Amino acid sequence: MTVTAAMVKELREKTGAGMMDCKKALAETNGDMEAAIDWLRAKGIAKADKKSGRTAAEGLIGIASSGTKAVVVEINSETDFVARNDAFQELVRGVANVALGTDGSVAAVSKATYPATGKSVEDTIKDAIATIGENMTLRRSALLEVEDGVVATYVHNAAGEGIGKLGVLVALKSTGDKEALNAIGRQVAMHVAATNPLAVRSSEIDPAVAERERNVFIEQSRASGKPDNIIEKMVDGRMRKFFEEVALLSQAFVMNPDLTVEAAIKEAEKSAGAPIEVAGIARLLLGEGVEKEESDFAAEVAAAAKG
């Protein structure tokens, strides 16, 4: 297929690689954007993570909890000005509270009744659009619940009670002391906010993600010119390190890097007085994965001047 300038530009923005490298990567992978990113990584030209600075959306993350259950929602707006609006902030808090009574899916939250208006959340947001004069959308939501234990919460860059730019839930199953569970749960939630693990345990990492990493490591190792049996050992070693780095329990605990998260939780069992199991995590970062349209102000002014 033909590699267009737009495709090259998109790959450059995602990887930071040079124009010619991006063009070659797309040509080698028949225009497949994800495969081209992996091709650049295998050649040591691009990092694993895409440039997060190019993706953004305004709005707020909202969190609501009731001890053994908590929910996190993302409501987007067009501008940060609206995100600072009291009415919008109250809407985000209200939707989070409504979401707590659902299964946590966007579809269920949208259909649920918003008490203050007596309408559905979806229709309430539509009314808010008309009132505030800016497009808004309930983009994502996640709910965690345990029969016994706590679901700890953490909001980073808080704009007010229960709202901010990043929200984390950590579900802990335990019969232990609730105060002690909330204390370690909040610390783990802060850790999750900082490190963004792919899963709680290495066994829970998406096999497709693991396979993709393995293929990149194989290509990188082949460049060393070593025999296949040595390459296989090199790749196995890199995969073990990969799993350690992206699975929550094996990560170095940000509060005490001398301990893994698993070891820190084991320590907390002493004050909780019972075993603790991490049953699940949820992390929503505002605007994650949303390409924000970047306007060229000078070009807009020139176009307006032309008429």
Side-chain angles (χ1 to χ4, degrees):
M1 66 172 291
T2 303
V3 175
T4 66
M7 291 164 66
V8 173
K9 180 176 181 289
E10 182 181 351
L11 186 57
R12 285 190 71 190
E13 289 177 348
K14 288 184 173 183
T15 65
M19 184 176 70
M20 294 310 295
D21 287 326
C22 288
K23 189 173 181 180
K24 186 173 182 182
L26 288 163
E28 291 285 338
T29 57
N30 200 30
D32 185 318
M33 193 62 63
E34 293 301 318
I37 291 170
D38 288 346
W39 187 93
L40 288 167
R41 287 181 57 203
K43 302 295 181 186
I45 299 168
K47 293 182 179 178
D49 53 338
K50 300 171 187 176
K51 285 192 171 180
S52 59
R54 303 257 179 205
T55 59
E58 304 303 340
L60 285 170
I61 301 292
I63 278 183
S65 64
S66 62
T68 57
K69 183 196 291 189
V71 68
V72 56
V73 301
E74 176 182 7
I75 299 184
N76 293 140
S77 61
E78 290 181 49
T79 65
D80 185 53
F81 177 76
V82 165
R84 297 195 300 271
N85 178 291
D86 288 342
F88 180 76
Q89 292 185 358
E90 197 55 44
L91 175 67
V92 175
R93 285 194 192 92
V95 171
N97 283 317
V98 169
L100 202 55
T102 72
D103 64 8
S105 67
V106 170
V109 177
S110 296
K111 292 175 184 175
T113 301
Y114 192 86
T117 62
K119 299 180 180 181
S120 68
V121 165
E122 184 177 21
D123 286 341
T124 300
I125 290 175
K126 285 179 182 175
D127 289 346
I129 292 170
T131 302
I132 297 175
E134 190 169 301
N135 191 33
M136 300 169 214
T137 178
L138 169 63
R139 180 172 170 243
R140 294 184 294 171
S141 61
L143 181 144
L144 294 180
E145 184 174 11
V146 291
E147 283 188 19
D148 199 358
V150 302
V151 180
T153 66
Y154 173 65
V155 177
H156 189 64
N157 284 342
E161 184 67 31
I163 54 174
K165 300 293 186 181
L166 190 160
V168 179
L169 311 179
V170 173
L172 300 178
K173 285 174 65 176
S174 178
T175 57
D177 177 75
K178 297 296 187 288
E179 190 174 333
L181 292 176
N182 268 313
I184 185 63
R186 179 173 171 78
Q187 287 189 340
V188 173
M190 293 172 75
H191 172 98
V192 170
T195 66
N196 192 19
L198 295 183
V200 174
R201 299 161 189 84
S202 59
S203 60
E204 297 167 2
I205 293 171
D206 184 347
V209 172
E211 184 62 23
R212 184 175 166 184
E213 289 300 313
R214 176 174 282 277
N215 289 335
V216 169
F217 290 152
I218 288 171
E219 289 302 315
Q220 289 175 339
S221 300
R222 278 180 181 157
S224 69
K226 290 182 170 61
D228 287 349
N229 63 321
I230 301 298
I231 287 174
E232 189 174 340
K233 289 179 182 177
M234 289 170 64
V235 170
D236 286 344
R238 288 188 178 188
M239 287 303 295
R240 280 194 296 273
K241 185 169 176 59
F242 166 74
F243 283 127
E244 284 176 9
E245 290 176 346
V246 300
L248 171 66
L249 294 181
S250 56
Q251 290 179 331
F253 192 34
V254 292
M255 305 295 175
N256 181 0
D258 291 334
L259 297 176
T260 62
V261 172
E262 187 171 29
I265 290 171
K266 199 73 180 171
E267 282 284 313
E269 290 179 352
K270 296 172 185 174
S271 54
I276 302 171
E277 177 192 342
V278 182
I281 57 174
R283 179 185 186 274
L284 295 190
L285 173 64
L286 181 68
E288 195 170 39
V290 177
E291 290 292 343
K292 184 179 181 181
E293 187 175 340
E294 295 183 20
S295 62
D296 184 334
F297 185 67
E300 287 178 12
V301 172
K306 289 177 182 176

